[in-house]
Amino acid sequence: MSDHQKIRKMLSLAAAGALDQRDEELVVNHLRGCAACAAEAETWKQIGSALRRLPTPQPRASVVERARAQAQVRLTEEFEHRWNRAMLTGLIFFAWVLTVMSWPVFKLVTGGLIGVLDPNFHHVWFLFAAFTATAWIAGGAAAAILSLQQRRERRLA
Amino acid sequence: MSWDNGVVVDNDVAQLRRGDLDALSALVTRYQNRLYRYLLRIVRQPAEAEDLFQVTWIRVAEKIQRYDPNRNFEAWLFTLARNVAIDHLRRIRPESLDEPVGDDATGETGATRLQSHEQPALEAIVARERTSRIGESMENLPVVYREVLTLRFEEEMKLEEIAEVLSVPLSTVKTRLRRALDKLRVSMEVRFPGETWQ
């Protein structure tokens, strides 16, 4: 392909301002000595100008207001969800800490200070562990059911 | 976009990430015309573009926490809008993603649909005719070419920003831009033979 043909292919991109500096210089230098390409470049320039002048359609004001209102509601919901998630995580962490801490306290109250160091398990311990596990499983199941219900409601909304 | 505008947008985006409803409102106002125009260029139907406009802002509210502040907000916003529009086209008119489509059954031409709701300024008749013809010819291009033309010439985005919006390499943007312009010109020559641009 000759230089002339190569440059001619670049003219549309030149009108779009999409050439790198080196190609831009090549085009400018070529246009100085080639009337045909200069005319072609002018055509592309006019096309580019017409594209830039296309009328800007505007959305109806009611549509913009509805979009704004819906987005604001969703943003508020998103931040409420984030807050709820953070709160729930904090509460779970706190509950675990409390549970773990309560075991030695429970032992201390029921068996005295030496009992804390006693590694032997007895039936009171097993009852206490069973109660804790049941409470956690019930809490977890309730949270899962609530979450599913919320998700279903959100989908329907 | 000027430096001042950039700072204002950055500030609004930072406020929005903290859940500020006024910042969201300011961004909707700032981008309403550009975003709607971009969506309309992709889907071509005003009613669909209006629906997608609303969906896009809801997506912004949902995803703003995942937005990386180091990225260009405009590119991020237009990427969201593009994804919404392309999903819509894929669902409603999958053929429109590949093929150019002619004027619809309403008899309304592409150029009239592209017109602003406001009265256009009094321009020279020739320039108006030319612009109208360009709009009509552009509407007949495939969506990949329409969007690259609108991003470059109407949104005046840099090539790097366009590459980010379209999720393609810079070289692909240049190739699409060149092909889009070539096809636009061929389309104009076919539809309006004898048109001179000198």
Side-chain angles (χ1 to χ4, degrees), chain B residues 1-10 30-31 34 74 156 158 161:
Chain B
M1 188 167 56
S2 73
W3 186 82
D4 281 350
N5 283 341
V7 171
V8 172
V9 169
D10 287 348
R30 180 177 290 272
Y31 287 106
R34 292 178 59 194
E74 266 180 41
E156 297 184 335
K158 292 178 192 157
E161 289 172 335

Side-chain angles (χ1 to χ4, degrees), chain A residues 116-148:
Chain A
V116 179
L117 305 169
D118 179 12
N120 294 331
F121 289 103
H122 48 78
H123 73 283
V124 181
W125 252 114
F126 283 118
L127 278 176
F128 187 76
F131 169 76
T132 307
T134 310
W136 273 104
I137 289 167
I145 290 166
L146 271 175
S147 158
L148 281 174

Side-chain angles (χ1 to χ4, degrees), chain B residues 72-115:
Chain B
N72 177 329
F73 177 73
E74 266 180 41
W76 181 79
L77 176 64
F78 279 80
T79 305
L80 276 189
R82 179 178 190 268
N83 291 342
V84 166
I86 297 295
D87 284 350
H88 169 81
L89 287 180
R90 203 168 276 146
R91 214 172 36 244
I92 307 292
R93 301 194 299 271
E95 75 286 351
S96 66
L97 291 172
D98 307 312
E99 298 297 326
V101 183
D103 290 334
D104 63 15
T106 62
E108 195 182 22
T109 67
T112 52
R113 279 203 305 271
L114 284 174
Q115 291 294 323

Side-chain angles (χ1 to χ4, degrees), chain B residues 62-188:
Chain B
E62 287 171 352
K63 293 180 187 268
I64 192 64
Q65 284 304 317
R66 277 175 259 169
Y67 163 69
D68 174 3
N70 295 321
R71 275 183 72 183
N72 177 329
F73 177 73
E74 266 180 41
W76 181 79
L77 176 64
F78 279 80
T79 305
L80 276 189
R82 179 178 190 268
N83 291 342
V84 166
I86 297 295
D87 284 350
H88 169 81
L89 287 180
R90 203 168 276 146
R91 214 172 36 244
I92 307 292
R93 301 194 299 271
E95 75 286 351
S96 66
L97 291 172
D98 307 312
E99 298 297 326
V101 183
D103 290 334
D104 63 15
T106 62
E108 195 182 22
T109 67
T112 52
R113 279 203 305 271
L114 284 174
Q115 291 294 323
S116 164
H117 290 298
E118 286 182 347
Q119 281 286 71
L122 194 60
E123 293 173 353
I125 291 173
V126 175
R128 201 169 53 196
E129 275 288 302
R130 194 172 275 174
T131 302
S132 163
R133 287 174 178 184
I134 280 266
E136 215 170 304
S137 302
M138 187 172 153
E139 272 231 334
N140 284 280
L141 297 180
V143 66
V144 286
Y145 298 137
R146 287 200 306 273
E147 64 178 353
V148 79
L149 286 177
T150 190
L151 288 174
R152 182 61 190 158
F153 289 96
E154 294 186 290
E155 302 307 332
E156 297 184 335
M157 278 190 182
K158 292 178 192 157
L159 297 183
E160 291 80 6
E161 289 172 335
I162 299 174
E164 197 178 336
V165 171
L166 305 182
S167 304
V168 295
L170 196 59
S171 56
T172 307
V173 173
K174 285 189 183 184
T175 307
R176 280 191 196 171
L177 195 53
R178 191 168 50 74
R179 285 186 188 157
L181 285 164
D182 288 345
K183 279 187 182 285
L184 180 71
R185 190 160 171 191
V186 169
S187 169
M188 284 191 301

